[in-house]
Amino acid sequence: MADRTESASHRTAPVHTHPDEVPLLTALSALADPVRIQLIRQLAGHPDWVLSCSNFDVAVGRAAKSHHFAILRGAGLVEQRDQGPKRLNRLRREEFDARFPGLLDLTLRADEDD
């Protein structure tokens, strides 16, 4: 079941879906977009709760980036929490790997075709 993270900010707390509740097609669809793969790869290269949404170097605007993060949250790949004006991110690697073993490893592997 999706849950909301507690938030002390003025904006609505993000809704998170646990990977155990994610169908395979949803996970594959979330990972099928090049921008979302970039976001996941950048997250994987940093410790949890270090990168805010503005720290990601992707060629889309703010609204599109928010949309991509919503899809990643819905697929159980990302967890977010608000800290002051920033929304910090964590890759849910352990939980996602338990649900879909090896899928994230394949996504994080750099291919020549990317």
Side-chain angles (χ1 to χ4, degrees):
M1 179 158 102
D3 59 29
R4 290 198 177 271
T5 300
E6 292 297 318
S7 174
S9 76
H10 62 282
R11 61 183 161 182
T12 304
V15 176
H16 297 95
T17 302
H18 195 280
D20 286 346
E21 301 169 1
V22 175
L24 177 60
L25 189 56
T26 300
L28 292 173
S29 178
L31 293 169
D33 185 276
V35 171
R36 291 192 288 271
I37 289 174
Q38 271 189 283
L39 293 172
I40 292 296
R41 287 179 177 168
Q42 288 179 35
L43 254 180
H46 291 83
D48 293 349
W49 310 119
V50 171
L51 294 178
S52 69
C53 292
S54 62
N55 293 129
F56 291 87
D57 184 25
V58 290
V60 297
R62 187 174 173 183
K65 194 185 306 182
S66 293
H67 170 74
H68 286 297
F69 273 114
I71 290 171
L72 292 172
R73 283 193 320 266
L77 281 154
V78 171
E79 185 177 5
Q80 296 179 307
R81 70 177 183 205
D82 292 337
Q83 186 173 344
K86 296 180 179 181
R87 181 158 282 177
L88 301 178
N89 298 278
R90 172 180 93 85
L91 181 61
R92 298 179 80 171
R93 185 169 193 144
E94 186 177 312
E95 302 101 301
F96 195 82
D97 282 344
R99 172 76 170 117
F100 303 107
L103 183 55
L104 201 48
D105 288 336
L106 288 171
T107 303
L108 295 174
R109 188 172 61 195
D111 293 329
E112 294 83 33
D113 296 336
D114 285 351

